[in-house]
Amino acid sequence: MAQGTVWSVVNYFGDLFTASALQTPVLNMIGGLGGKQQTDNFEFPTSQEYTQSPVSQPAITETASVSAPTPISLTRTQYKNVCQIVHEGVSLTYAKLSTMGRLNGIATAGQVANPSSELDWQIAKALEKIARDMEYSIIQGTYAISTSAAVASTTRGLNAAAALGTTIAAAGATLSKTLIDKLLRDMFAAGAQFQNPVFILNAFQKQMISRLYGYAPTDRNVGGVNIKQIETDFGNIGTVLDAFQATDTLLLADLSVCSVVTQPVPGKGNLFYETLGKTAAAEVGQIYGALGLNHGPYFAHGSISGLATS
């Protein structure tokens, strides 16, 4: 944690911008940093699954019907994911906090520093970092479970969940309707329900989707397409453009079974800011929380990986 001083975090006036990707569409769609579910265990179940007996046409005689049938005994399997700790620090010297009137750069009369409160801005940017990290984790996170205080738990993301369900290795092939049709058929055969399915993809594959399914407008003064939804034999599928998705992957996730899971600290809640003990002339604080992805059953999701990216 780097401490902000008068000289390391200087003041300017003017509008604030960043080229960093800030949109977190999937996180927002499944509950945001506040989450939809809570747990008091860093492990939580994502589904219980069972396999029904093979289908057949009953052929039971009247004679057989007066005897008790052979009982069925279906077994269940539980699947799980974990919450991961998110932890960011903020530290500003008292000198920095009391020097907001000193401007660097172009110093025009009558202007004031933007932001007006350095502490509030740094806390907000720490939360922004947490949201970005969670968006990445929800999509590309790899699963690990803590086995001691020195081992971190990391939540399984949707790409990894789809890889355990239905996935197609494109081996460098260009995204095509043939590949997408096969993915949908395979997911249906595996048990996908397609309740709220969305394609989660990066810029290149989003352009490929518009190229594959787009039809030019009839207005002679308007050109181009932006495919936001595809009608298929298995229902309508939305598209989510996400800067945190791998460029070579098309993910089809059913968001109806997904939610953010939080693990609150008793008496404090989840994702809270608190001031740390003071030892000198500085404001030192931390944001702490534990968040995970409930991705539901693996068979709800699918992916095509290893696609061409140029």
Side-chain angles (χ1 to χ4, degrees):
M1 178 175 64
Q3 189 170 73
T5 70
V6 172
W7 310 105
S8 65
V9 183
V10 298
N11 299 326
Y12 301 100
F13 77 88
D15 294 333
L16 282 160
F17 299 94
T18 180
S20 300
L22 299 183
Q23 294 182 329
T24 56
V26 179
L27 173 65
N28 297 343
M29 293 169 76
I30 63 173
L33 291 177
K36 288 183 178 179
Q37 294 179 256
Q38 290 187 357
T39 180
D40 58 4
N41 183 347
F42 67 89
E43 284 189 281
F44 55 87
T46 58
S47 66
Q48 283 193 72
E49 298 179 23
Y50 67 93
T51 300
Q52 186 51 272
S53 303
V55 294
S56 62
Q57 182 177 11
I60 302 169
T61 66
E62 181 181 0
T63 300
S65 71
V66 299
S67 299
T70 302
I72 65 170
S73 181
L74 301 181
T75 60
R76 299 175 299 278
T77 302
Q78 184 188 66
Y79 296 93
K80 62 185 182 178
N81 205 353
V82 294
C83 288
Q84 59 190 24
I85 293 173
V86 295
H87 195 199
E88 298 295 335
V90 174
S91 180
L92 297 167
T93 65
Y94 285 173
K96 169 59 190 175
L97 293 173
S98 61
T99 313
M100 291 304 291
R102 179 184 178 87
L103 299 182
N104 286 55
I106 301 173
T108 304
Q111 299 298 322
V112 296
N114 182 23
S116 58
S117 169
E118 189 67 53
L119 179 60
D120 290 347
W121 191 81
Q122 293 293 348
I123 292 173
K125 296 307 109 178
L127 287 168
E128 185 175 271
K129 179 183 185 304
I130 289 171
R132 282 163 44 85
D133 289 347
M134 279 308 302
E135 180 78 3
Y136 178 87
S137 299
I138 285 168
I139 297 172
Q140 295 208 54
T142 57
Y143 174 82
I145 185 167
S146 176
T147 54
S148 73
V151 178
S153 288
T154 55
T155 203
R156 181 186 297 105
L158 288 168
N159 284 351
L164 293 170
T166 302
T167 188
I168 297 172
T174 300
L175 182 64
S176 65
K177 192 172 181 299
T178 299
L179 279 172
I180 293 173
D181 288 347
K182 176 172 171 51
L183 176 65
L184 296 177
R185 290 195 306 271
D186 290 354
M187 289 179 64
F188 179 77
Q193 300 295 310
F194 301 103
Q195 296 297 310
N196 183 20
V198 295
F199 286 125
I200 300 172
L201 26 71
N202 207 307
F204 184 83
Q205 305 304 338
K206 175 62 174 71
Q207 289 180 321
M208 291 302 298
I209 287 286
S210 290
R211 183 180 301 176
L212 290 172
Y213 292 93
Y215 296 92
T218 55
D219 191 323
R220 297 179 65 183
N221 298 311
V222 178
V225 293
N226 175 18
I227 299 301
K228 297 182 179 180
Q229 182 173 276
I230 300 168
E231 185 168 350
T232 75
D233 296 307
F234 307 93
N236 293 335
I237 302 175
T239 61
V240 177
L241 175 63
D242 199 303
F244 301 101
Q245 175 60 290
T247 306
D248 69 346
T249 300
L250 179 139
L251 170 67
L252 178 51
D254 191 336
L255 299 188
S256 70
V257 300
C258 298
S259 60
V260 175
V261 180
T262 65
Q263 188 182 359
V265 175
K268 295 180 181 292
N270 194 63
L271 213 59
F272 54 88
Y273 175 82
E274 63 180 0
T275 301
L276 299 177
K278 292 190 178 298
T279 58
E283 171 71 26
V284 182
Q286 65 177 3
I287 299 172
Y288 179 89
L291 302 165
L293 169 67
N294 184 345
H295 47 64
Y298 300 136
F299 62 76
H301 314 298
S303 65
I304 304 173
S305 61
L307 289 163
T309 59
S310 62

